[in-house]
Amino acid sequence: MNKREKFVIEGGKPLKGEVTLCGAKNSGFKLMIASLYADGRSEIRNFSKITDTFSTGEIIRNLGGEVIFGENHIVTVSGKSLSNWVISSGQGKLSRAATYFIGPFLSRFGKAVVSNPGGCKIGRRPLDRHFEGIKALGAKIKGQDGHYLISAKELKGTRYRFPKVTHGGTDVMVITSVLAKGKTVLENAALEPEIDDLIAFLNKMGAKIERKPGRIITIEGVKELKSASHSVMPDRNEAVTFACAALATKGDVLVKGADKKVLGAFLEQLDKVGGGYEIDGKDIRFYYKKQLSPCNILTHPYPGFMTDWMAVWSVLMTQAKGESVIHETIFENRFAFFEQLIKMGVKVKLFNPRVPRPEEVYSFNLKDDRPEYFHAARIFGPATLKPARLEIADLRAGATLILASLIAKGKSELTGAELVDRGYENLDEKLRGLKANIKRTE
Ligand code: EPU
């Protein structure tokens, strides 16, 4: 059985000080997998010491590849000794990585076996858009019970239009088509900056990938890729977590590495609610300025307000004066954390708004929706949060409950601390650096 860990938080104090962001969770492990195309050692700098990165390292080692986690957040990866093309179900469920391996496996072995990925339980998260794209490149896919055999003697460039925008699907198609013969054109591709980080890395390896206006990516197939060196972009989700923590605790925190370019939709909402921030080159200072106002949020693929920010933003809105609405459109079941917030005294009403064209508004496949899922929440603030014993269900929910416990005066206990390690490096330690009273126990 996995070890269960707990956070014990004595809340009610403003956060103060400075914190430096780590490399993006949703980029680092993908670069490690892309490195498997080359026999030489790629150097990935600024990787995050999080479970998602380490489990990818473990999978690559089990496949015979070389991974060396070095000092100063540098990991080197080589695919030279890769000897296995199977991601077992035990390994698959460790993260979202499984389908990212298909490209490197096909290029070396002409076949791949992958099983369903794991990751946060925030919806069904099927892989139809990944697999349809890979089939369009000429691969054959047989699969049942979450195991898939993919085979192709050679991949051929193609024109593929994603039926709906998908971040992971876009990543996987970019990775898989780099060595395909001829040109691949991806239409209706996702615009997430983490995808650009992956593209930048692959281009350094010798790929020929370009973003074109109108959600188009073109990939000119090349014959081979060589090793490269790249620094992972800072984590914009971590930036928003610290920003919301600073504002919700009426504090003042300098977030080093917070890039205004990738935080546009967040800063726009801060302007509306009256959250204080000051941009200083590559850093942003977030500070409490005045009583926050409520607002309405619709989560949206990049450049919109990101789904991963929605839960921490909800905590912030419990401190705004009036009624705020959060409408989650990316995942069909991402509101489980509200049950925990209600224990702390948050007043919230979950509902399903009338949506005239749900097919266009929601990113999930409508057939994955269930009558018991809610897609919107009305939050009534300001709420006086009281400490509680809480259960962390997933990564972002974990950060959210930590935030709420930092606001609540008194002692809260949160079980499931290890889930937060999937995407935040030493979150408790970083918060202690901002004068939070947070301890971690088994
Ligand atoms: N979807 C399908 N079929 C597919 C692909 C996606 O139905 O083939 C659905 C998903 O179930 C979801 C929606 O489409 O409802 C959007 O999914 P997307 O593929 O865009 O998301 P993802 O690749 O699974 C990544 C991040 C998420 C982040 C989303 C949106 C990684 C490892 N994960 O997930 O990060 O929320 O993009 O930007 O890159 C997190 O960090 O907490 C997290 C969940």
Side-chain angles (χ1 to χ4, degrees):
M1 203 168 104
N2 287 342
K3 197 168 63 170
R4 299 292 285 166
E5 293 189 13
K6 211 160 70 172
F7 288 124
V8 181
I9 298 171
E10 194 74 48
K13 270 175 66 182
L15 294 190
K16 296 229 155 108
E18 33 176 273
V19 66
T20 302
L21 297 177
C22 290
K25 158 191 169 279
N26 289 340
S27 173
F29 79 87
K30 302 171 185 178
L31 306 192
M32 290 172 71
I33 299 172
S35 305
L36 297 177
Y37 273 117
D39 282 351
R41 287 184 180 144
S42 287
E43 182 187 75
I44 298 159
R45 286 171 277 118
N46 197 34
F47 81 91
S48 258
K49 295 181 183 175
I50 53 174
T51 322
D52 268 18
T53 319
F54 291 129
S55 59
T56 303
E58 187 187 319
I59 295 174
I60 294 175
R61 283 192 189 129
N62 286 336
L63 295 165
E66 182 192 271
V67 179
I68 301 167
F69 288 108
E71 298 288 302
N72 303 322
H73 291 83
I74 296 176
V75 57
T76 56
V77 182
S78 152
K80 187 172 179 189
S81 51
L82 210 63
S83 55
N84 193 334
W85 54 90
V86 180
I87 305 287
S88 67
S89 57
Q91 304 215 307
K93 70 175 184 229
L94 292 176
S95 72
R96 295 301 298 166
T99 49
Y100 290 75
F101 283 93
I102 293 173
F105 284 172
L106 289 181
S107 81
R108 286 182 183 269
F109 309 109
K111 58 191 167 188
V113 174
V114 300
S115 53
N116 272 343
C120 291
K121 295 184 179 61
I122 48 185
R124 199 166 84 78
R125 309 186 78 177
L127 299 170
D128 50 319
R129 298 173 211 162
H130 301 217
F131 286 146
E132 287 310 312
I134 292 171
K135 276 193 222 159
L137 289 166
K140 291 202 166 56
I141 303 183
K142 288 189 206 155
Q144 60 183 39
D145 301 333
H147 296 277
Y148 309 92
L149 167 65
I150 301 105
S151 54
K153 281 210 187 77
E154 180 186 65
L155 294 177
K156 290 206 176 75
T158 187
R159 180 173 282 269
Y160 177 70
R161 183 175 179 81
F162 292 100
K164 284 189 182 197
V165 172
T166 156
H167 177 171
T170 303
D171 282 334
V172 166
M173 279 303 283
V174 166
I175 293 195
T176 313
S177 54
V178 276
L179 298 185
K181 200 169 172 201
K183 182 174 175 176
T184 298
V185 180
L186 302 177
E187 296 176 352
N188 199 25
L191 300 171
E192 267 68 17
E194 292 79 7
I195 303 172
D196 291 302
D197 214 26
L198 174 65
I199 292 176
F201 178 61
L202 283 165
N203 281 343
K204 285 181 186 173
M205 292 182 80
K208 289 194 177 149
I209 309 167
E210 265 186 71
R211 281 256 193 214
K212 296 272 166 70
R215 291 190 173 276
I216 289 178
I217 299 177
T218 59
I219 303 124
E220 289 285 352
V222 294
K223 287 222 157 52
E224 59 173 7
L225 296 177
K226 56 187 190 317
S227 58
S229 169
H230 188 78
S231 183
V232 180
M233 65 178 278
D235 195 308
R236 61 193 171 117
N237 293 332
E238 199 191 9
V240 166
T241 304
F242 284 115
C244 289
L247 293 163
T249 59
K250 300 196 164 80
D252 189 337
V253 173
L254 179 70
V255 182
K256 298 183 105 174
D259 178 356
K260 67 174 192 310
K261 283 201 301 290
V262 298
L263 293 170
F266 176 71
L267 299 177
E268 204 179 294
Q269 293 304 326
L270 279 192
D271 287 333
K272 286 190 194 157
V273 302
Y277 69 89
E278 243 173 45
I279 299 169
D280 181 6
K282 288 184 174 171
D283 310 329
I284 306 183
R285 172 186 161 222
F286 295 95
Y287 62 97
Y288 182 80
K289 193 164 67 169
K290 57 178 183 184
Q291 168 67 59
L292 295 173
S293 310
C295 78
N296 296 347
I297 293 284
L298 184 75
T299 62
H300 205 267
Y302 193 81
F305 192 95
M306 202 189 178
T307 169
D308 298 345
W309 304 338
M310 174 276 291
V312 284
W313 182 265
S314 300
V315 174
L316 191 62
M317 288 303 96
T318 68
Q319 303 306 299
K321 191 172 179 191
E323 200 179 302
S324 299
V325 174
I326 315 274
H327 187 172
E328 162 64 18
T329 68
I330 310 294
F331 293 99
E332 69 270 21
N333 188 20
R334 208 174 193 180
F335 278 165
F337 65 91
F338 275 120
E339 202 179 305
Q340 303 293 308
L341 289 183
I342 288 167
K343 289 190 196 170
M344 303 184 80
V346 167
K347 291 190 186 63
V348 59
K349 188 168 171 9
L350 302 184
F351 66 107
N352 280 320
R354 252 181 56 79
V355 175
R357 285 186 298 282
E359 191 54 42
E360 286 168 25
V361 171
Y362 292 119
S363 293
F364 52 82
N365 295 336
L366 293 185
K367 67 177 180 342
D368 293 329
D369 203 3
R370 299 275 173 276
E372 64 270 26
Y373 297 160
F374 289 104
H375 306 309
R378 194 167 276 126
I379 299 168
F380 305 92
T384 305
L385 301 192
K386 46 182 201 281
R389 281 169 187 263
L390 305 165
E391 184 71 40
I392 295 173
D394 69 66
L395 168 65
R396 304 292 164 206
T400 302
L401 300 183
I402 292 175
L403 237 76
S405 306
L406 290 170
I407 303 173
K409 279 204 178 95
K411 183 165 142 187
S412 293
E413 291 191 6
L414 284 62
T415 318
E418 66 287 349
L419 291 172
V420 175
D421 300 335
R422 273 205 44 230
Y424 292 92
E425 180 180 319
N426 297 333
L427 183 57
D428 50 321
E429 195 182 310
K430 284 184 162 181
L431 287 169
R432 279 192 292 278
L434 299 174
K435 304 194 173 51
N437 187 343
I438 171 168
K439 290 194 194 89
R440 191 172 175 136
T441 61
E442 269 184 38

